[in-house]
Amino acid sequence: RGPAQAATDARCESPLPARAAMDTEYVKLISSEGHEFVIDKNAALVSGTIKTMLQGAGTYTETAQGEVRFPEISTKTLEKTIQYFYYKLKHTNHEGQLPEFEIEPESALELLMAANYLDT
């Protein structure tokens, strides 16, 4: 597990067990550079696109393998998107003012395109 994965785990407040990839409660998201993020399946299901791939009635390869490849999404963008999945999951049904989800201006366009594709 590389530094980006450890940073994602820490910021998402979701320490992952070493055998997470083998557990059906986790899914693997793979960036265009081949970086693998093993995340809680409930967090991944925040994305309508991922939800369809993992739970859809069709015969998606992703359903059987529990992993989704994103050849158009960079590691940095996918990492930030995963952070948003956890943010959204944590703050669903939250009352009052939500804490800000910070986005660097230079990555806003890439994140917007990824969010549109992922239906988040």
Side-chain angles (χ1 to χ4, degrees):
R1 163 144 92 186
Q5 178 65 48
T8 298
D9 293 348
R11 286 191 293 258
C12 295
E13 300 172 15
S14 178
L16 301 173
R19 61 180 199 62
M22 305 304 278
D23 191 336
T24 57
E25 295 300 314
Y26 293 90
V27 296
K28 186 187 299 183
L29 306 182
I30 306 169
S31 72
S32 60
E33 295 92 351
H35 189 91
E36 299 178 351
F37 295 91
V38 177
I39 69 168
D40 184 293
K41 186 175 184 178
N42 290 324
L45 296 180
V46 165
S47 162
T49 302
I50 294 173
K51 185 175 186 174
T52 299
M53 290 176 169
L54 295 176
Q55 296 182 333
T59 56
Y60 290 100
T61 304
E62 293 84 2
T63 304
Q65 295 178 348
E67 68 179 46
V68 184
R69 295 182 181 277
F70 297 104
E72 332 63 39
I73 301 178
S74 71
T75 298
K76 181 180 177 182
T77 301
L78 186 56
E79 179 178 19
K80 191 67 173 181
T81 304
I82 291 167
Q83 290 171 12
Y84 177 76
F85 292 166
Y86 280 102
Y87 169 87
K88 172 98 171 160
L89 197 61
K90 180 178 180 178
H91 296 292
T92 297
N93 301 323
H94 177 81
E95 294 185 23
Q97 187 169 348
L98 288 174
E100 184 175 337
F101 183 78
E102 295 186 26
I103 297 174
E104 298 80 26
E106 59 274 2
S107 57
L109 182 59
E110 263 191 81
L111 285 167
L112 182 61
M113 292 187 322
N116 184 49
Y117 173 73
L118 294 171
D119 188 23
T120 55

